[in-house]
Amino acid sequence: MNRKNFLKLTGKSLLLAGVPAFGFNGLAFNARRNMSHQNTGASLTYKVHKLLLKHTWTISRNSTDFKNNVFVKIKRDGIEGLGEAAPNIRYDETPESTVATIESAIPLFNKYDLWHFVDLGYAIKALGTGQTAAKAALDIAIMDWIAKKQNMPLYQYLGLNKEKVPLTTFSIGIDTPEVIRQKVKEAEPYPILKIKVGLGNDHEIIGAVRSVTDKPLRVDANEGWKNKEEALEKIKWLEKEGVEFIEQPMPAAMHDDIRWLRERVEIPIVADEAVKTAADIPRLADAYDGINIKLMKSAGLQEALRMIAMARSLGLKIMLGCMIESSLAIAAAAQISPLVDWLDLDGNLLISNDPMKGHPVVDGKIILNDKPGLGVISEIEF
Ligand code: MG
């Protein structure tokens, strides 16, 4: 499982070989590609690592006990930039497709210097359609390297004030009332909870939550309500249950129904599955009050910053969320979190074998350390 497989290929031979056979058995493998050379001197290593969930994670779409995320390391001048991809099947991503996309990006590291990270970032983003988790891993690693090379935390490099990091929610996945109550008790240190609904047992879930806490709630239906009348009835009920906003109540494609809904409810409606990159945002402004940015959807930090600027220009609220991720990708998002209104960076708190040591959460607030780059130490070798 941890067998190291070092392949030393030039960008040219990789191009000739296409995506090479690397003995992928569906679970774990790692490989290094040396992108040497006359141009950039950088090398890239990646590794698939299985993240185990503390509780079976259930949302309206699916249920899982583990996630295979792909970790990336870019090394140059003795400095390592780390990145992470959390492939999501909702967006046609698997660990296999993620690795293939990372492999396809390797020639770009021979073409562009890391210091030209804007051009390099656009070139990575333009590699085929989708596969944004893989692209995010590369962008996160590049930005970690850039800030480490400057010997400063990334938030400082970007001119941000770490005191302005908002409180993060803690997410409660769909479960039986008994387990929901237990999860809410485990979430005691977190002042705001995010509750997953959308499977038909919504009243049971909110009832279980409210039987043990009166904390503010945010609710995410993950496209689970399929008609607008049902969604309206549910949101009207949630408004009375102390819910601050509702995330993606209906399928992303049902834009006109969501606009209809928005005219009839009081709490903000936030787009998640309906928005991936900055280009998606303008058409959402008439149906949603805010957007949920995730690095895995945006293809990384640089596009997330463009999304923040776009959303602000349209008067939209901004939430910064995550997938099931280790403390590495969470730390990347946390670095830009002083720019947003709402934070939902808890993916690392839901796993039991986090291989990355990042920033502590104290009473719901991520305390950014002052280490260079993302401020994360890897506990896995790759
Ligand atoms: Mg969501």
Side-chain angles (χ1 to χ4, degrees):
M1 180 161 168
N2 290 316
R3 186 175 63 90
K4 287 200 169 183
N5 178 23
F6 291 109
L7 297 176
K8 296 182 179 177
L9 297 172
T10 65
K12 186 180 175 189
S13 63
L14 269 171
L15 274 176
L16 290 171
V19 178
F22 34 67
F24 182 43
N25 63 8
L27 260 193
F29 64 96
N30 53 32
R32 183 169 71 190
R33 300 288 184 263
N34 285 337
M35 303 168 295
S36 63
H37 335 75
Q38 69 275 24
N39 292 335
T40 68
S43 71
L44 184 145
T45 314
Y46 58 80
K47 181 174 191 176
V48 178
H49 190 83
K50 188 175 186 172
L51 303 177
L52 305 173
L53 285 148
K54 289 178 184 168
H55 291 280
T56 299
W57 178 245
T58 302
I59 62 171
S60 67
R61 262 193 302 281
N62 50 29
S63 193
T64 185
D65 291 310
F66 66 90
K67 290 284 199 180
N68 281 315
N69 284 7
V70 185
F71 293 86
V72 167
K73 180 166 74 183
I74 292 169
K75 189 169 181 181
R76 187 182 125 181
D77 304 341
I79 292 172
E80 295 177 347
L82 302 175
E84 177 179 1
N88 191 321
I89 202 68
R90 167 65 174 76
Y91 304 106
D92 300 320
E93 295 168 341
T94 62
E96 292 89 339
S97 69
T98 298
V99 164
T101 302
I102 290 167
E103 291 273 356
S104 74
I106 288 171
L108 298 175
F109 287 85
N110 282 327
K111 188 173 175 187
Y112 296 92
D113 190 282
L114 288 178
W115 282 110
H116 301 156
F117 59 87
V118 176
D119 288 341
L120 175 56
Y122 276 120
I124 290 169
K125 200 163 167 284
L127 280 173
T129 53
Q131 299 304 316
T132 49
K135 296 170 186 175
L138 295 167
D139 180 77
I140 291 167
I142 292 165
M143 298 312 294
D144 186 29
W145 188 91
I146 293 288
K148 277 178 178 159
K149 183 75 175 169
Q150 298 278 37
N151 199 30
M152 60 174 67
L154 183 58
Y155 71 80
Q156 186 183 355
Y157 178 74
L158 296 171
L160 304 178
N161 178 358
K162 70 172 181 174
E163 302 306 323
K164 292 173 75 175
V165 174
L167 290 175
T168 183
T169 44
F170 184 87
S171 297
I172 309 287
I174 295 174
D175 227 308
T176 62
E178 187 187 357
V179 178
I180 295 264
R181 281 191 289 273
Q182 183 193 331
K183 285 179 175 176
V184 171
K185 284 174 186 162
E186 288 171 17
E188 175 57 34
Y190 300 89
I192 314 166
L193 301 178
K194 176 163 146 175
I195 313 298
K196 296 285 192 178
V197 299
L199 269 190
N201 56 346
D202 304 341
H203 284 87
E204 200 174 270
I205 288 171
I206 299 296
V209 173
R210 278 291 175 241
S211 73
V212 283
T213 186
D214 57 2
K215 287 176 184 174
L217 306 179
R218 296 166 185 175
V219 167
D220 188 358
N222 286 108
E223 310 181 288
W225 301 327
K226 306 300 183 192
N227 73 70
K228 62 187 181 193
E229 288 79 15
E230 179 196 7
L232 178 61
E233 187 190 317
K234 291 279 174 67
I235 297 173
K236 285 291 180 193
W237 158 64
L238 291 172
E239 284 174 350
K240 293 180 204 140
E241 293 286 340
V243 170
E244 295 183 337
F245 62 75
I246 177 77
E247 197 178 320
Q248 202 66 55
M250 302 178 69
M254 298 179 76
H255 183 87
D256 292 342
D257 292 301
I258 295 169
R259 191 173 56 209
W260 178 91
L261 204 54
R262 187 195 190 188
E263 290 165 1
R264 289 163 177 79
V265 302
E266 302 296 324
I267 56 175
I269 299 180
V270 178
D272 183 0
E273 285 83 349
V275 59
K276 287 190 81 180
T277 69
D280 298 324
I281 301 175
R283 67 180 171 78
L284 298 176
D286 69 348
Y288 295 89
D289 302 283
I291 59 163
N292 184 352
I293 297 172
K294 294 177 182 170
L295 300 184
M296 297 303 145
K297 295 188 298 176
S298 70
L301 288 156
Q302 295 194 69
E303 180 67 8
L305 292 169
R306 289 189 285 267
M307 292 178 77
I308 289 169
M310 174 71 84
R312 286 283 179 240
S313 74
L314 293 164
L316 292 167
K317 289 280 198 179
I318 301 166
M319 174 180 178
L320 189 58
C322 62
M323 305 295 184
I324 302 297
E325 300 165 359
S326 80
S327 288
L328 176 58
I330 294 296
Q335 296 287 330
I336 61 167
S337 67
L339 290 167
V340 309
D341 304 297
W342 302 313
L343 212 54
D344 180 32
L345 294 182
D346 65 344
N348 57 331
L349 307 172
L350 304 176
I351 57 180
S352 61
N353 64 337
D354 189 350
M356 298 286 163
K357 193 166 165 39
H359 309 273
V361 185
V362 179
D363 298 331
K365 180 153 173 119
I366 298 173
I367 310 297
L368 287 172
N369 66 40
D370 292 327
K371 296 191 183 104
L374 303 179
V376 174
I377 294 167
S378 175
E379 293 178 346
I380 48 170
E381 278 192 32
F382 67 110

PDB file of all heavy atoms in Angstrom, residues 1 22-29 48-50 66-70 94-97 99:
ATOM      1  N   MET A   1       0.819  -1.205   0.000  1.00  0.00           N
ATOM      2  CA  MET A   1       0.000   0.000   0.000  1.00  0.00           C
ATOM      3  C   MET A   1       0.858   1.263   0.000  1.00  0.00           C
ATOM      4  O   MET A   1       0.542   2.234  -0.643  1.00  0.00           O
ATOM      5  CB  MET A   1      -0.899  -0.012   1.227  1.00  0.00           C
ATOM      6  CG  MET A   1      -1.793   1.210   1.327  1.00  0.00           C
ATOM      7  SD  MET A   1      -3.167   0.852   2.429  1.00  0.00           S
ATOM      8  CE  MET A   1      -3.804   2.508   2.645  1.00  0.00           C
ATOM      9  N   PHE A  22       0.614   2.967 -13.975  1.00  0.00           N
ATOM     10  CA  PHE A  22       1.413   3.088 -12.765  1.00  0.00           C
ATOM     11  C   PHE A  22       0.939   2.145 -11.680  1.00  0.00           C
ATOM     12  O   PHE A  22       1.128   2.362 -10.496  1.00  0.00           O
ATOM     13  CB  PHE A  22       1.425   4.528 -12.248  1.00  0.00           C
ATOM     14  CG  PHE A  22       0.149   5.263 -12.487  1.00  0.00           C
ATOM     15  CD1 PHE A  22      -1.009   4.905 -11.836  1.00  0.00           C
ATOM     16  CD2 PHE A  22       0.109   6.316 -13.400  1.00  0.00           C
ATOM     17  CE1 PHE A  22      -2.182   5.586 -12.053  1.00  0.00           C
ATOM     18  CE2 PHE A  22      -1.076   6.994 -13.620  1.00  0.00           C
ATOM     19  CZ  PHE A  22      -2.229   6.633 -12.953  1.00  0.00           C
ATOM     20  N   GLY A  23       0.292   1.069 -12.053  1.00  0.00           N
ATOM     21  CA  GLY A  23      -0.051   0.058 -11.065  1.00  0.00           C
ATOM     22  C   GLY A  23      -1.108   0.506 -10.082  1.00  0.00           C
ATOM     23  O   GLY A  23      -1.109   0.075  -8.936  1.00  0.00           O
ATOM     24  N   PHE A  24      -2.017   1.350 -10.509  1.00  0.00           N
ATOM     25  CA  PHE A  24      -3.054   1.850  -9.614  1.00  0.00           C
ATOM     26  C   PHE A  24      -4.027   0.724  -9.288  1.00  0.00           C
ATOM     27  O   PHE A  24      -4.622   0.118 -10.170  1.00  0.00           O
ATOM     28  CB  PHE A  24      -3.774   3.003 -10.304  1.00  0.00           C
ATOM     29  CG  PHE A  24      -4.839   3.619  -9.458  1.00  0.00           C
ATOM     30  CD1 PHE A  24      -4.612   3.872  -8.113  1.00  0.00           C
ATOM     31  CD2 PHE A  24      -6.048   3.948 -10.005  1.00  0.00           C
ATOM     32  CE1 PHE A  24      -5.580   4.459  -7.334  1.00  0.00           C
ATOM     33  CE2 PHE A  24      -7.031   4.528  -9.228  1.00  0.00           C
ATOM     34  CZ  PHE A  24      -6.798   4.780  -7.897  1.00  0.00           C
ATOM     35  N   ASN A  25      -4.171   0.415  -8.006  1.00  0.00           N
ATOM     36  CA  ASN A  25      -5.054  -0.691  -7.625  1.00  0.00           C
ATOM     37  C   ASN A  25      -6.373  -0.187  -7.045  1.00  0.00           C
ATOM     38  O   ASN A  25      -7.076  -0.917  -6.380  1.00  0.00           O
ATOM     39  CB  ASN A  25      -4.348  -1.606  -6.618  1.00  0.00           C
ATOM     40  CG  ASN A  25      -4.029  -0.875  -5.326  1.00  0.00           C
ATOM     41  OD1 ASN A  25      -4.458   0.271  -5.131  1.00  0.00           O
ATOM     42  ND2 ASN A  25      -3.289  -1.507  -4.454  1.00  0.00           N
ATOM     43  N   GLY A  26      -6.672   1.061  -7.304  1.00  0.00           N
ATOM     44  CA  GLY A  26      -7.947   1.601  -6.841  1.00  0.00           C
ATOM     45  C   GLY A  26      -7.862   2.207  -5.460  1.00  0.00           C
ATOM     46  O   GLY A  26      -8.768   2.861  -5.014  1.00  0.00           O
ATOM     47  N   LEU A  27      -6.757   2.013  -4.782  1.00  0.00           N
ATOM     48  CA  LEU A  27      -6.658   2.574  -3.447  1.00  0.00           C
ATOM     49  C   LEU A  27      -5.477   3.503  -3.269  1.00  0.00           C
ATOM     50  O   LEU A  27      -5.618   4.704  -3.355  1.00  0.00           O
ATOM     51  CB  LEU A  27      -6.545   1.441  -2.422  1.00  0.00           C
ATOM     52  CG  LEU A  27      -7.835   1.103  -1.693  1.00  0.00           C
ATOM     53  CD1 LEU A  27      -7.533   0.215  -0.519  1.00  0.00           C
ATOM     54  CD2 LEU A  27      -8.508   2.374  -1.190  1.00  0.00           C
ATOM     55  N   ALA A  28      -4.340   2.948  -3.063  1.00  0.00           N
ATOM     56  CA  ALA A  28      -3.226   3.822  -2.710  1.00  0.00           C
ATOM     57  C   ALA A  28      -2.033   3.587  -3.615  1.00  0.00           C
ATOM     58  O   ALA A  28      -1.682   2.468  -3.936  1.00  0.00           O
ATOM     59  CB  ALA A  28      -2.822   3.577  -1.268  1.00  0.00           C
ATOM     60  N   PHE A  29      -1.434   4.652  -4.019  1.00  0.00           N
ATOM     61  CA  PHE A  29      -0.195   4.557  -4.768  1.00  0.00           C
ATOM     62  C   PHE A  29       0.438   5.938  -4.708  1.00  0.00           C
ATOM     63  O   PHE A  29      -0.204   6.919  -4.374  1.00  0.00           O
ATOM     64  CB  PHE A  29      -0.449   4.160  -6.224  1.00  0.00           C
ATOM     65  CG  PHE A  29      -1.224   5.177  -6.975  1.00  0.00           C
ATOM     66  CD1 PHE A  29      -0.569   6.118  -7.757  1.00  0.00           C
ATOM     67  CD2 PHE A  29      -2.602   5.225  -6.876  1.00  0.00           C
ATOM     68  CE1 PHE A  29      -1.294   7.075  -8.445  1.00  0.00           C
ATOM     69  CE2 PHE A  29      -3.321   6.180  -7.553  1.00  0.00           C
ATOM     70  CZ  PHE A  29      -2.667   7.106  -8.336  1.00  0.00           C
ATOM     71  N   VAL A  48      -2.188   8.934  -3.125  1.00  0.00           N
ATOM     72  CA  VAL A  48      -3.582   8.759  -2.722  1.00  0.00           C
ATOM     73  C   VAL A  48      -3.581   8.291  -1.274  1.00  0.00           C
ATOM     74  O   VAL A  48      -2.831   7.385  -0.912  1.00  0.00           O
ATOM     75  CB  VAL A  48      -4.299   7.731  -3.610  1.00  0.00           C
ATOM     76  CG1 VAL A  48      -5.739   7.535  -3.150  1.00  0.00           C
ATOM     77  CG2 VAL A  48      -4.261   8.176  -5.067  1.00  0.00           C
ATOM     78  N   HIS A  49      -4.387   8.928  -0.441  1.00  0.00           N
ATOM     79  CA  HIS A  49      -4.430   8.570   0.974  1.00  0.00           C
ATOM     80  C   HIS A  49      -5.885   8.428   1.407  1.00  0.00           C
ATOM     81  O   HIS A  49      -6.717   9.283   1.126  1.00  0.00           O
ATOM     82  CB  HIS A  49      -3.727   9.651   1.804  1.00  0.00           C
ATOM     83  CG  HIS A  49      -3.506   9.250   3.224  1.00  0.00           C
ATOM     84  ND1 HIS A  49      -2.437   8.471   3.626  1.00  0.00           N
ATOM     85  CD2 HIS A  49      -4.222   9.499   4.336  1.00  0.00           C
ATOM     86  CE1 HIS A  49      -2.503   8.274   4.930  1.00  0.00           C
ATOM     87  NE2 HIS A  49      -3.584   8.877   5.386  1.00  0.00           N
ATOM     88  N   LYS A  50      -6.150   7.344   2.097  1.00  0.00           N
ATOM     89  CA  LYS A  50      -7.522   7.047   2.515  1.00  0.00           C
ATOM     90  C   LYS A  50      -7.849   7.757   3.825  1.00  0.00           C
ATOM     91  O   LYS A  50      -7.196   7.500   4.849  1.00  0.00           O
ATOM     92  CB  LYS A  50      -7.670   5.533   2.679  1.00  0.00           C
ATOM     93  CG  LYS A  50      -9.079   5.051   2.931  1.00  0.00           C
ATOM     94  CD  LYS A  50      -9.102   3.522   2.938  1.00  0.00           C
ATOM     95  CE  LYS A  50     -10.499   2.976   3.044  1.00  0.00           C
ATOM     96  NZ  LYS A  50     -10.510   1.512   2.868  1.00  0.00           N
ATOM     97  N   PHE A  66     -15.466   6.428   4.057  1.00  0.00           N
ATOM     98  CA  PHE A  66     -14.091   6.876   3.817  1.00  0.00           C
ATOM     99  C   PHE A  66     -14.019   7.671   2.527  1.00  0.00           C
ATOM    100  O   PHE A  66     -14.951   7.636   1.704  1.00  0.00           O
ATOM    101  CB  PHE A  66     -13.134   5.686   3.732  1.00  0.00           C
ATOM    102  CG  PHE A  66     -13.384   4.799   2.551  1.00  0.00           C
ATOM    103  CD1 PHE A  66     -12.737   5.029   1.334  1.00  0.00           C
ATOM    104  CD2 PHE A  66     -14.279   3.738   2.630  1.00  0.00           C
ATOM    105  CE1 PHE A  66     -12.985   4.218   0.235  1.00  0.00           C
ATOM    106  CE2 PHE A  66     -14.526   2.927   1.534  1.00  0.00           C
ATOM    107  CZ  PHE A  66     -13.879   3.171   0.336  1.00  0.00           C
ATOM    108  N   LYS A  67     -12.917   8.379   2.351  1.00  0.00           N
ATOM    109  CA  LYS A  67     -12.662   9.134   1.125  1.00  0.00           C
ATOM    110  C   LYS A  67     -11.211   8.923   0.721  1.00  0.00           C
ATOM    111  O   LYS A  67     -10.315   8.977   1.577  1.00  0.00           O
ATOM    112  CB  LYS A  67     -12.877  10.634   1.360  1.00  0.00           C
ATOM    113  CG  LYS A  67     -14.323  11.044   1.559  1.00  0.00           C
ATOM    114  CD  LYS A  67     -15.047  11.046   0.241  1.00  0.00           C
ATOM    115  CE  LYS A  67     -16.315  11.865   0.300  1.00  0.00           C
ATOM    116  NZ  LYS A  67     -17.014  11.876  -0.983  1.00  0.00           N
ATOM    117  N   ASN A  68     -10.967   8.704  -0.564  1.00  0.00           N
ATOM    118  CA  ASN A  68      -9.599   8.628  -1.058  1.00  0.00           C
ATOM    119  C   ASN A  68      -9.207   9.978  -1.658  1.00  0.00           C
ATOM    120  O   ASN A  68      -9.605  10.301  -2.777  1.00  0.00           O
ATOM    121  CB  ASN A  68      -9.476   7.530  -2.127  1.00  0.00           C
ATOM    122  CG  ASN A  68      -9.385   6.157  -1.499  1.00  0.00           C
ATOM    123  OD1 ASN A  68      -8.633   5.964  -0.534  1.00  0.00           O
ATOM    124  ND2 ASN A  68     -10.138   5.207  -2.009  1.00  0.00           N
ATOM    125  N   ASN A  69      -8.460  10.753  -0.902  1.00  0.00           N
ATOM    126  CA  ASN A  69      -8.012  12.053  -1.403  1.00  0.00           C
ATOM    127  C   ASN A  69      -6.605  11.927  -1.976  1.00  0.00           C
ATOM    128  O   ASN A  69      -5.860  11.011  -1.633  1.00  0.00           O
ATOM    129  CB  ASN A  69      -8.054  13.098  -0.288  1.00  0.00           C
ATOM    130  CG  ASN A  69      -9.487  13.561  -0.008  1.00  0.00           C
ATOM    131  OD1 ASN A  69     -10.439  12.998  -0.557  1.00  0.00           O
ATOM    132  ND2 ASN A  69      -9.628  14.567   0.837  1.00  0.00           N
ATOM    133  N   VAL A  70      -6.257  12.844  -2.855  1.00  0.00           N
ATOM    134  CA  VAL A  70      -4.951  12.803  -3.516  1.00  0.00           C
ATOM    135  C   VAL A  70      -4.113  13.995  -3.043  1.00  0.00           C
ATOM    136  O   VAL A  70      -4.541  15.147  -3.163  1.00  0.00           O
ATOM    137  CB  VAL A  70      -5.099  12.838  -5.058  1.00  0.00           C
ATOM    138  CG1 VAL A  70      -3.737  12.659  -5.719  1.00  0.00           C
ATOM    139  CG2 VAL A  70      -6.074  11.751  -5.527  1.00  0.00           C
ATOM    140  N   THR A  94     -13.085  11.075  -9.653  1.00  0.00           N
ATOM    141  CA  THR A  94     -12.681   9.911  -8.875  1.00  0.00           C
ATOM    142  C   THR A  94     -11.191  10.075  -8.571  1.00  0.00           C
ATOM    143  O   THR A  94     -10.518  10.911  -9.196  1.00  0.00           O
ATOM    144  CB  THR A  94     -12.864   8.620  -9.688  1.00  0.00           C
ATOM    145  OG1 THR A  94     -12.016   8.704 -10.847  1.00  0.00           O
ATOM    146  CG2 THR A  94     -14.300   8.423 -10.121  1.00  0.00           C
ATOM    147  N   PRO A  95     -10.637   9.284  -7.657  1.00  0.00           N
ATOM    148  CA  PRO A  95      -9.178   9.354  -7.450  1.00  0.00           C
ATOM    149  C   PRO A  95      -8.420   9.084  -8.752  1.00  0.00           C
ATOM    150  O   PRO A  95      -7.400   9.729  -9.022  1.00  0.00           O
ATOM    151  CB  PRO A  95      -8.925   8.265  -6.406  1.00  0.00           C
ATOM    152  CG  PRO A  95     -10.211   8.163  -5.647  1.00  0.00           C
ATOM    153  CD  PRO A  95     -11.289   8.403  -6.664  1.00  0.00           C
ATOM    154  N   GLU A  96      -8.947   8.170  -9.570  1.00  0.00           N
ATOM    155  CA  GLU A  96      -8.281   7.840 -10.843  1.00  0.00           C
ATOM    156  C   GLU A  96      -8.267   9.033 -11.790  1.00  0.00           C
ATOM    157  O   GLU A  96      -7.238   9.368 -12.381  1.00  0.00           O
ATOM    158  CB  GLU A  96      -8.982   6.648 -11.518  1.00  0.00           C
ATOM    159  CG  GLU A  96      -8.833   5.332 -10.778  1.00  0.00           C
ATOM    160  CD  GLU A  96      -9.929   5.095  -9.734  1.00  0.00           C
ATOM    161  OE1 GLU A  96     -10.565   6.070  -9.292  1.00  0.00           O
ATOM    162  OE2 GLU A  96     -10.128   3.928  -9.347  1.00  0.00           O
ATOM    163  N   SER A  97      -9.419   9.678 -11.947  1.00  0.00           N
ATOM    164  CA  SER A  97      -9.481  10.819 -12.875  1.00  0.00           C
ATOM    165  C   SER A  97      -8.654  11.985 -12.335  1.00  0.00           C
ATOM    166  O   SER A  97      -8.080  12.763 -13.100  1.00  0.00           O
ATOM    167  CB  SER A  97     -10.937  11.251 -13.108  1.00  0.00           C
ATOM    168  OG  SER A  97     -11.499  11.842 -11.954  1.00  0.00           O
ATOM    169  N   VAL A  99      -5.842  11.714 -10.524  1.00  0.00           N
ATOM    170  CA  VAL A  99      -4.434  11.424 -10.817  1.00  0.00           C
ATOM    171  C   VAL A  99      -4.132  11.660 -12.296  1.00  0.00           C
ATOM    172  O   VAL A  99      -3.101  12.236 -12.654  1.00  0.00           O
ATOM    173  CB  VAL A  99      -4.101   9.973 -10.395  1.00  0.00           C
ATOM    174  CG1 VAL A  99      -2.796   9.507 -11.022  1.00  0.00           C
ATOM    175  CG2 VAL A  99      -4.034   9.877  -8.874  1.00  0.00           C
TER     176      VAL A  99
END
